[in-house]
């Protein structure tokens, strides 16, 4: 795994400034903008055989509809898995809130300790749930990008094999994205605040880059390849010459 390359490779394109500007403007569009950026990244990482980042496809608004189509499936998979997690988190949070409320009027040390322990245990459970969600989400979104099909994305046998083969690298990738995302977001906020939208483009690029690395590592360790959707070959958006 090459973590730093997941960021530095973005800047290898001769038109990285324009890609950053157009992608950042696109992120400003609620919901749809993010899907379009994801579709552009699907095009660059999954819809071509060339691994040369100097020839990474330029962000082209004339392919807005194609980007939207290609980014829709990983976005929907992420949304569905996230929505399924929310009720579980509330089920864990409500008892902790009730216990805290019951002991809030009690000045005793025992009551305060009970509330603190309850809250710590709840937050630990939430953290584990989020970590489990990320473990599940990574193979499902990778499969969604490759198959371009919502139903085919939910292959839990594939997800189980994927996690079994590369779980350590998945954990490290998630930690890297957390800290890199914080750093890039802070830089974006310093640059007239709106720079955070442009920083998001690099963060999404890094995320997809790491997903592609994880998938290749999974294949190198004997994982079963996912058939590439014909939809990723029906239109290949323009690629900058080397």
């Amino acid at each position: 795994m090459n973590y730093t390359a997941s960021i530095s490779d973005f800047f290898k394109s001769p038109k990285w400034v324009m890609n950053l500007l157009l992608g950042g403007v696109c992120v400003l569009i609620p919901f749809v903008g993010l899907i379009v950026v994801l579709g552009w990244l699907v095009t660059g990482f999954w819809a071509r055989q060339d691994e040369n980042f100097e020839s990474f496809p330029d962000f082209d608004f004339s392919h807005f509809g194609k980007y939207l189509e290609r980014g829709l499936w990983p976005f929907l998979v992420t949304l569905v898995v996230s929505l399924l997690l929310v009720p579980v988190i509330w089920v864990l949070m409500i008892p902790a809130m009730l216990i805290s409320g019951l002991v809030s009027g009690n000045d005793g040390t025992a009551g305060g300790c009970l509330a603190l322990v309850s809250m710590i245990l709840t937050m630990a459970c939430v953290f584990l749930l989020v970590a489990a969600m990320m473990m599940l989400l990574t193979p499902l979104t990778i499969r969604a990008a490759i198959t371009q099909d919502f139903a085919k994305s939910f292959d839990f046998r594939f997800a189980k094999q994927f996690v079994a083969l590369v779980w350590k690298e998945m954990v490290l990738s998630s930690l890297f994205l957390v800290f890199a995302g914080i750093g890039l977001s802070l830089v974006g906020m310093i640059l007239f605040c709106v720079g955070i939208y442009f920083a998001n483009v690099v963060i999404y690029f890094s995320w997809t880059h790491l997903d592609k690395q994880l998938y290749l590592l999974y294949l190198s360790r004997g994982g079963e390849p996912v058939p590439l959707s014909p939809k990723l070959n029906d239109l290949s958006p323009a690629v900058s010459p080397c």
Side-chain angles (χ1 to χ4, degrees), residues 76-95:
L76 284 179
V77 169
T78 302
L79 180 64
V80 168
V81 174
S82 300
L83 289 176
L84 290 175
L85 183 66
V86 171
V88 180
I89 292 177
W90 274 108
V91 167
L92 292 172
M93 291 295 291
I94 290 175

PDB file of all heavy atoms in Angstrom, residues 76-95:
ATOM      1  N   LEU A  76     -25.267   5.244  -3.615  1.00  0.00           N
ATOM      2  CA  LEU A  76     -26.467   4.626  -3.044  1.00  0.00           C
ATOM      3  C   LEU A  76     -26.106   3.536  -2.036  1.00  0.00           C
ATOM      4  O   LEU A  76     -26.756   3.411  -0.999  1.00  0.00           O
ATOM      5  CB  LEU A  76     -27.326   4.034  -4.163  1.00  0.00           C
ATOM      6  CG  LEU A  76     -28.132   5.019  -5.005  1.00  0.00           C
ATOM      7  CD1 LEU A  76     -28.908   4.288  -6.094  1.00  0.00           C
ATOM      8  CD2 LEU A  76     -29.084   5.843  -4.142  1.00  0.00           C
ATOM      9  N   VAL A  77     -25.079   2.747  -2.353  1.00  0.00           N
ATOM     10  CA  VAL A  77     -24.646   1.701  -1.426  1.00  0.00           C
ATOM     11  C   VAL A  77     -24.181   2.328  -0.112  1.00  0.00           C
ATOM     12  O   VAL A  77     -24.538   1.861   0.980  1.00  0.00           O
ATOM     13  CB  VAL A  77     -23.525   0.859  -2.054  1.00  0.00           C
ATOM     14  CG1 VAL A  77     -22.883  -0.049  -1.005  1.00  0.00           C
ATOM     15  CG2 VAL A  77     -24.078   0.013  -3.197  1.00  0.00           C
ATOM     16  N   THR A  78     -23.392   3.399  -0.211  1.00  0.00           N
ATOM     17  CA  THR A  78     -22.929   4.100   0.991  1.00  0.00           C
ATOM     18  C   THR A  78     -24.104   4.647   1.792  1.00  0.00           C
ATOM     19  O   THR A  78     -24.146   4.540   3.023  1.00  0.00           O
ATOM     20  CB  THR A  78     -21.980   5.257   0.609  1.00  0.00           C
ATOM     21  OG1 THR A  78     -20.879   4.732  -0.133  1.00  0.00           O
ATOM     22  CG2 THR A  78     -21.464   5.967   1.852  1.00  0.00           C
ATOM     23  N   LEU A  79     -25.066   5.234   1.095  1.00  0.00           N
ATOM     24  CA  LEU A  79     -26.235   5.818   1.752  1.00  0.00           C
ATOM     25  C   LEU A  79     -27.054   4.758   2.476  1.00  0.00           C
ATOM     26  O   LEU A  79     -27.446   4.937   3.637  1.00  0.00           O
ATOM     27  CB  LEU A  79     -27.099   6.539   0.711  1.00  0.00           C
ATOM     28  CG  LEU A  79     -28.369   7.224   1.229  1.00  0.00           C
ATOM     29  CD1 LEU A  79     -28.013   8.349   2.197  1.00  0.00           C
ATOM     30  CD2 LEU A  79     -29.201   7.762   0.068  1.00  0.00           C
ATOM     31  N   VAL A  80     -27.305   3.635   1.825  1.00  0.00           N
ATOM     32  CA  VAL A  80     -28.133   2.580   2.410  1.00  0.00           C
ATOM     33  C   VAL A  80     -27.472   1.985   3.648  1.00  0.00           C
ATOM     34  O   VAL A  80     -28.105   1.817   4.698  1.00  0.00           O
ATOM     35  CB  VAL A  80     -28.422   1.478   1.368  1.00  0.00           C
ATOM     36  CG1 VAL A  80     -29.027   0.249   2.032  1.00  0.00           C
ATOM     37  CG2 VAL A  80     -29.352   1.997   0.290  1.00  0.00           C
ATOM     38  N   VAL A  81     -26.177   1.676   3.548  1.00  0.00           N
ATOM     39  CA  VAL A  81     -25.468   1.095   4.688  1.00  0.00           C
ATOM     40  C   VAL A  81     -25.427   2.076   5.851  1.00  0.00           C
ATOM     41  O   VAL A  81     -25.610   1.702   7.017  1.00  0.00           O
ATOM     42  CB  VAL A  81     -24.040   0.681   4.282  1.00  0.00           C
ATOM     43  CG1 VAL A  81     -23.242   0.207   5.493  1.00  0.00           C
ATOM     44  CG2 VAL A  81     -24.084  -0.433   3.233  1.00  0.00           C
ATOM     45  N   SER A  82     -25.225   3.358   5.543  1.00  0.00           N
ATOM     46  CA  SER A  82     -25.183   4.374   6.597  1.00  0.00           C
ATOM     47  C   SER A  82     -26.537   4.521   7.275  1.00  0.00           C
ATOM     48  O   SER A  82     -26.621   4.646   8.502  1.00  0.00           O
ATOM     49  CB  SER A  82     -24.748   5.726   6.005  1.00  0.00           C
ATOM     50  OG  SER A  82     -23.469   5.632   5.418  1.00  0.00           O
ATOM     51  N   LEU A  83     -27.610   4.508   6.489  1.00  0.00           N
ATOM     52  CA  LEU A  83     -28.958   4.639   7.053  1.00  0.00           C
ATOM     53  C   LEU A  83     -29.313   3.450   7.936  1.00  0.00           C
ATOM     54  O   LEU A  83     -30.017   3.597   8.938  1.00  0.00           O
ATOM     55  CB  LEU A  83     -29.991   4.797   5.933  1.00  0.00           C
ATOM     56  CG  LEU A  83     -29.973   6.129   5.179  1.00  0.00           C
ATOM     57  CD1 LEU A  83     -30.990   6.107   4.045  1.00  0.00           C
ATOM     58  CD2 LEU A  83     -30.264   7.291   6.131  1.00  0.00           C
ATOM     59  N   LEU A  84     -28.845   2.278   7.579  1.00  0.00           N
ATOM     60  CA  LEU A  84     -29.109   1.088   8.400  1.00  0.00           C
ATOM     61  C   LEU A  84     -28.391   1.166   9.742  1.00  0.00           C
ATOM     62  O   LEU A  84     -28.844   0.590  10.732  1.00  0.00           O
ATOM     63  CB  LEU A  84     -28.663  -0.178   7.652  1.00  0.00           C
ATOM     64  CG  LEU A  84     -29.495  -0.569   6.426  1.00  0.00           C
ATOM     65  CD1 LEU A  84     -28.868  -1.765   5.724  1.00  0.00           C
ATOM     66  CD2 LEU A  84     -30.932  -0.884   6.820  1.00  0.00           C
ATOM     67  N   LEU A  85     -27.281   1.907   9.766  1.00  0.00           N
ATOM     68  CA  LEU A  85     -26.515   2.002  11.004  1.00  0.00           C
ATOM     69  C   LEU A  85     -27.136   2.982  11.991  1.00  0.00           C
ATOM     70  O   LEU A  85     -27.015   2.811  13.204  1.00  0.00           O
ATOM     71  CB  LEU A  85     -25.074   2.432  10.688  1.00  0.00           C
ATOM     72  CG  LEU A  85     -24.104   2.517  11.865  1.00  0.00           C
ATOM     73  CD1 LEU A  85     -23.872   1.120  12.448  1.00  0.00           C
ATOM     74  CD2 LEU A  85     -22.786   3.133  11.447  1.00  0.00           C
ATOM     75  N   VAL A  86     -27.815   4.015  11.492  1.00  0.00           N
ATOM     76  CA  VAL A  86     -28.357   5.069  12.364  1.00  0.00           C
ATOM     77  C   VAL A  86     -29.298   4.519  13.437  1.00  0.00           C
ATOM     78  O   VAL A  86     -29.160   4.858  14.620  1.00  0.00           O
ATOM     79  CB  VAL A  86     -29.056   6.161  11.517  1.00  0.00           C
ATOM     80  CG1 VAL A  86     -29.807   7.140  12.412  1.00  0.00           C
ATOM     81  CG2 VAL A  86     -28.026   6.910  10.680  1.00  0.00           C
ATOM     82  N   PRO A  87     -30.302   3.673  13.106  1.00  0.00           N
ATOM     83  CA  PRO A  87     -31.182   3.139  14.163  1.00  0.00           C
ATOM     84  C   PRO A  87     -30.427   2.347  15.223  1.00  0.00           C
ATOM     85  O   PRO A  87     -30.775   2.402  16.408  1.00  0.00           O
ATOM     86  CB  PRO A  87     -32.154   2.233  13.382  1.00  0.00           C
ATOM     87  CG  PRO A  87     -32.107   2.719  11.978  1.00  0.00           C
ATOM     88  CD  PRO A  87     -30.706   3.187  11.768  1.00  0.00           C
ATOM     89  N   VAL A  88     -29.388   1.615  14.797  1.00  0.00           N
ATOM     90  CA  VAL A  88     -28.614   0.833  15.758  1.00  0.00           C
ATOM     91  C   VAL A  88     -27.901   1.750  16.742  1.00  0.00           C
ATOM     92  O   VAL A  88     -27.853   1.488  17.952  1.00  0.00           O
ATOM     93  CB  VAL A  88     -27.599  -0.063  15.022  1.00  0.00           C
ATOM     94  CG1 VAL A  88     -26.784  -0.879  16.025  1.00  0.00           C
ATOM     95  CG2 VAL A  88     -28.310  -0.990  14.049  1.00  0.00           C
ATOM     96  N   ILE A  89     -27.356   2.847  16.232  1.00  0.00           N
ATOM     97  CA  ILE A  89     -26.670   3.815  17.106  1.00  0.00           C
ATOM     98  C   ILE A  89     -27.645   4.414  18.117  1.00  0.00           C
ATOM     99  O   ILE A  89     -27.334   4.560  19.304  1.00  0.00           O
ATOM    100  CB  ILE A  89     -25.994   4.919  16.268  1.00  0.00           C
ATOM    101  CG1 ILE A  89     -24.827   4.337  15.473  1.00  0.00           C
ATOM    102  CG2 ILE A  89     -25.505   6.058  17.163  1.00  0.00           C
ATOM    103  CD1 ILE A  89     -24.132   5.319  14.569  1.00  0.00           C
ATOM    104  N   TRP A  90     -28.861   4.737  17.656  1.00  0.00           N
ATOM    105  CA  TRP A  90     -29.858   5.301  18.569  1.00  0.00           C
ATOM    106  C   TRP A  90     -30.285   4.292  19.633  1.00  0.00           C
ATOM    107  O   TRP A  90     -30.532   4.650  20.782  1.00  0.00           O
ATOM    108  CB  TRP A  90     -31.066   5.800  17.781  1.00  0.00           C
ATOM    109  CG  TRP A  90     -30.886   7.191  17.277  1.00  0.00           C
ATOM    110  CD1 TRP A  90     -30.677   7.591  16.001  1.00  0.00           C
ATOM    111  CD2 TRP A  90     -30.866   8.386  18.066  1.00  0.00           C
ATOM    112  NE1 TRP A  90     -30.527   8.951  15.929  1.00  0.00           N
ATOM    113  CE2 TRP A  90     -30.644   9.470  17.189  1.00  0.00           C
ATOM    114  CE3 TRP A  90     -31.019   8.646  19.434  1.00  0.00           C
ATOM    115  CZ2 TRP A  90     -30.578  10.793  17.627  1.00  0.00           C
ATOM    116  CZ3 TRP A  90     -30.946   9.961  19.869  1.00  0.00           C
ATOM    117  CH2 TRP A  90     -30.734  11.011  18.982  1.00  0.00           C
ATOM    118  N   VAL A  91     -30.373   3.025  19.250  1.00  0.00           N
ATOM    119  CA  VAL A  91     -30.728   1.982  20.219  1.00  0.00           C
ATOM    120  C   VAL A  91     -29.691   1.932  21.334  1.00  0.00           C
ATOM    121  O   VAL A  91     -30.017   1.698  22.505  1.00  0.00           O
ATOM    122  CB  VAL A  91     -30.843   0.612  19.511  1.00  0.00           C
ATOM    123  CG1 VAL A  91     -30.897  -0.521  20.527  1.00  0.00           C
ATOM    124  CG2 VAL A  91     -32.082   0.573  18.631  1.00  0.00           C
ATOM    125  N   LEU A  92     -28.432   2.172  20.981  1.00  0.00           N
ATOM    126  CA  LEU A  92     -27.373   2.177  21.989  1.00  0.00           C
ATOM    127  C   LEU A  92     -27.345   3.467  22.787  1.00  0.00           C
ATOM    128  O   LEU A  92     -27.040   3.466  23.984  1.00  0.00           O
ATOM    129  CB  LEU A  92     -26.012   1.966  21.311  1.00  0.00           C
ATOM    130  CG  LEU A  92     -25.767   0.584  20.695  1.00  0.00           C
ATOM    131  CD1 LEU A  92     -24.465   0.594  19.907  1.00  0.00           C
ATOM    132  CD2 LEU A  92     -25.715  -0.480  21.779  1.00  0.00           C
ATOM    133  N   MET A  93     -27.672   4.580  22.140  1.00  0.00           N
ATOM    134  CA  MET A  93     -27.565   5.881  22.791  1.00  0.00           C
ATOM    135  C   MET A  93     -28.704   6.146  23.769  1.00  0.00           C
ATOM    136  O   MET A  93     -28.495   6.756  24.822  1.00  0.00           O
ATOM    137  CB  MET A  93     -27.534   6.994  21.737  1.00  0.00           C
ATOM    138  CG  MET A  93     -26.269   7.025  20.890  1.00  0.00           C
ATOM    139  SD  MET A  93     -24.786   7.413  21.847  1.00  0.00           S
ATOM    140  CE  MET A  93     -25.095   9.130  22.264  1.00  0.00           C
ATOM    141  N   ILE A  94     -29.902   5.701  23.429  1.00  0.00           N
ATOM    142  CA  ILE A  94     -31.069   6.008  24.267  1.00  0.00           C
ATOM    143  C   ILE A  94     -30.922   5.477  25.694  1.00  0.00           C
ATOM    144  O   ILE A  94     -31.166   6.208  26.661  1.00  0.00           O
ATOM    145  CB  ILE A  94     -32.365   5.491  23.598  1.00  0.00           C
ATOM    146  CG1 ILE A  94     -32.680   6.349  22.361  1.00  0.00           C
ATOM    147  CG2 ILE A  94     -33.535   5.529  24.574  1.00  0.00           C
ATOM    148  CD1 ILE A  94     -33.867   5.859  21.560  1.00  0.00           C
ATOM    149  N   PRO A  95     -30.523   4.194  25.891  1.00  0.00           N
ATOM    150  CA  PRO A  95     -30.346   3.735  27.274  1.00  0.00           C
ATOM    151  C   PRO A  95     -29.309   4.550  28.042  1.00  0.00           C
ATOM    152  O   PRO A  95     -29.497   4.850  29.226  1.00  0.00           O
ATOM    153  CB  PRO A  95     -29.876   2.287  27.101  1.00  0.00           C
ATOM    154  CG  PRO A  95     -30.394   1.867  25.782  1.00  0.00           C
ATOM    155  CD  PRO A  95     -30.316   3.093  24.937  1.00  0.00           C
TER     156      PRO A  95
END
